[in-house]
Amino acid sequence: MESLSVALGSRSYPIHIGAGLIDQRALYAPHLRGAAAIVTNSVVAPLYLARVRAALEAGGARVAEVVVEDGEQAKGFPTLDRVIDALLSARLGRDGVIVALGGGVVGDLAGFAAAVYQRGVAFVQVPTTLLAQVDSSVGGKTAINHARGKNLIGAFHQPSAVITDVATLDTLPDRELRAGLAEVIKHGVALDAAFVDWLETNIPSLLARDRDALTYAVRRSCELKAAIVAQDEREASVRALLNLGHTFGHAIETATGFGPWLHGEAVAAGMVMAARLSSRAGMLAPREAERIEALIARAGLPTRAPKLPLERWRELIAVDKKNAGGRVRFVLLQGVGRAKLETGVDERLVDEVVAATSAAAVQ
Amino acid sequence: MESLSVALGSRSYPIHIGAGLIDQRALYAPHLRGAAAIVTNSVVAPLYLARVRAALEAGGARVAEVVVEDGEQAKGFPTLDRVIDALLSARLGRDGVIVALGGGVVGDLAGFAAAVYQRGVAFVQVPTTLLAQVDSSVGGKTAINHARGKNLIGAFHQPSAVITDVATLDTLPDRELRAGLAEVIKHGVALDAAFVDWLETNIPSLLARDRDALTYAVRRSCELKAAIVAQDEREASVRALLNLGHTFGHAIETATGFGPWLHGEAVAAGMVMAARLSSRAGMLAPREAERIEALIARAGLPTRAPKLPLERWRELIAVDKKNAGGRVRFVLLQGVGRAKLETGVDERLVDEVVAATSAAAVQ
């Protein structure tokens, strides 16, 4: 087992990474004070719920469980309300802990429930998808979606611990594995050129689920993300670099109704768009943009966005939360591994990229 | 104008108290960076919205407005969703500020919207009811209600400033003035015996809306509350003392469907119950409990709760959020001005108090 720390003063917390961690009671024990409530979904529950429950009960906790539907539609208010209702039924007190067992949707939903239930209770992330393990379980961003866009209602609420069992990736469908790789690639492309070199060599091992390769990819992603979060918890500055590909990606997810495109797939196409925009803006050499696109394609991820009217693109980009004083802020690239925030991007360049890159059929 | 500070390090903020402050642009100016959105209700809007809007526009802000329905039913998810939708329509960015113009409901709702909109934006409280001026606008507690109880979904999110114009109390209905006095009395009864002496003398002046008396009552309440919040922002300890009367009070509001009883009225009856429980538990001399009851009665506030089945009381008290490890924590009194948290209260004593004190017809 490897352990990293997200350094946030009194709110610092460990990330434990290894195979077979999901039912190690000693990892849960430090975080149990009162009752526990596991939030998971209908796909993950039959696989891992009983093991996590047993580990918590072995720690002496009274354990409640809430099983939500699978998929992005669970990140809405009706499901949040159901989770809150279950926590109240279970009489979870302010000293209770919520355990988020599942992928990004479960982590975001359960984390937001923990942020707002009785004005905030503790929670532990137990991510079971690659996307959640390398990205969404770390850093305390929690949210639900609004009809006008993704993650528009949320909170910064750090977990008490992240328990990442890479063995749970054995049960992950191929398509979701690839979607997780999009965020792995994002960490390299935004922040670490050497990691991109490593990925170019190791994409086949990752797709073949080589456990050592996966463990390294998870650890390096978490290290990169933890360092950024420690510098800028609330995304006042550098943390925004982790949104590479997300302005376009969120637009794709919103336009297609949260579901046909997985989040990682939308981010993959969004990264291609961000790289092309960087290139058109004269910041990135065209062959670097092509290199990024090639890596994304080798991971089996989409490199084209769906076709939408230009007006719809503009509207979706404008509403994205990464607005500053009414102007859209883009994460662009000055090189592989060197992301940069830009607010003064010429809208015509954005229009050109959108026109040239939106061609994919809905997944 | 008098100004106090709530001392919370980098999140410290001023409370300005005086007559005619509501349209003083200099009080708003330090808090404007991007656009502003005023959240108010249908009763307050015709009285004060234009003046606040003008003050913000004079500061150079683009100003949006959201007018919600009057009353406790606005503190639910449907109205929150409408507020969020309006903020998105207005393209309020993360540098925007929400101005909560109204009473406790508007402050709690708008404050919670500020806490979760795009994971948190700034807000300014402009309380226009006595209850909001002496209590709910200070301290950063924000929340909406759940069908199972009040304020069960919320966040701690401190305002950037509180601008309290006592002249707005001129338009407050008598019944709401009295409801606000319940929280004024609470501050004295829980924390400051000298303030209770002052209240016993000055209740007639307060009911007659003597402006000097009101200003003093607001200032003293804010001083007492600010000192507690500075010590314990997140209610890990002493802040819970400010919940005197609230466990019973929330039960009354939930049982009667949030509306027939004003919050302050429910707290008033709840304080009588807490005083009687303290007395039955042997902590408070019976004549002290009678003195508190007499003060509440002189303020024209209810001293009896509605009649409910004993089982319903038990259920409502158990679900109240002030649970610790499944046990209900009561705020009791060791004397006038000396509140104390108690978790080991004998349930039979609670049953006795409930039986002896619930007799009032629904308001």
Side-chain angles (χ1 to χ4, degrees), chain B residues 24 113 202 219 241 265 312 320 329 331 348:
Chain B
Q24 291 197 10
N202 289 280
R219 198 193 77 195
L241 299 178
E265 291 167 344
R312 181 76 175 127
D320 190 74
R329 227 168 44 171
V331 184
R348 283 169 307 179

Side-chain angles (χ1 to χ4, degrees), chain A residues 77 81 85 88-89 91 94-95 112 115-116 118-119 141-143 146 148 152-156 235 318 321 325, chain B residues 77 81 85 88-89 91 94-95 115-116 118-119 141-143 146 148 152-156 235 318 321 325:
Chain A
F77 187 78
D81 192 47
D85 204 60
L88 289 168
S89 285
R91 303 209 167 165
R94 287 181 178 172
D95 57 354
F112 187 58
V116 301
Q118 303 203 6
R119 298 200 185 93
K141 274 194 185 180
T142 72
H146 183 277
R148 288 176 186 256
L152 291 173
I153 303 176
F156 287 94
E235 198 168 304
K321 68 189 176 305
Chain B
F77 188 78
D81 192 47
D85 205 61
L88 289 167
S89 285
R91 302 209 168 167
R94 287 180 178 172
D95 56 356
V116 301
Q118 304 205 5
R119 297 198 184 95
K141 275 195 183 179
T142 72
H146 183 277
R148 287 176 186 257
L152 291 173
I153 303 176
F156 287 94
E235 198 168 303
K321 66 188 178 306

Side-chain angles (χ1 to χ4, degrees), chain A residues 44 51 80 92 123 127 129 140 170 245 261 274 288 314 329-330 357:
Chain A
V44 176
R51 287 169 65 190
L80 176 72
L92 195 80
F123 80 116
T129 66
D170 293 350
W261 284 65
E288 297 278 56
R314 287 177 177 157
R329 227 166 45 169
F330 282 97
T357 322

Side-chain angles (χ1 to χ4, degrees), chain A residues 88, chain B residues 144-153 250 254 258 316 319:
Chain A
L88 289 168
Chain B
I144 57 174
N145 299 329
H146 183 277
R148 287 176 186 257
K150 282 199 47 144
N151 297 332
L152 291 173
I153 303 176
H250 285 165
T254 304
F258 302 122
L316 290 165
V319 85

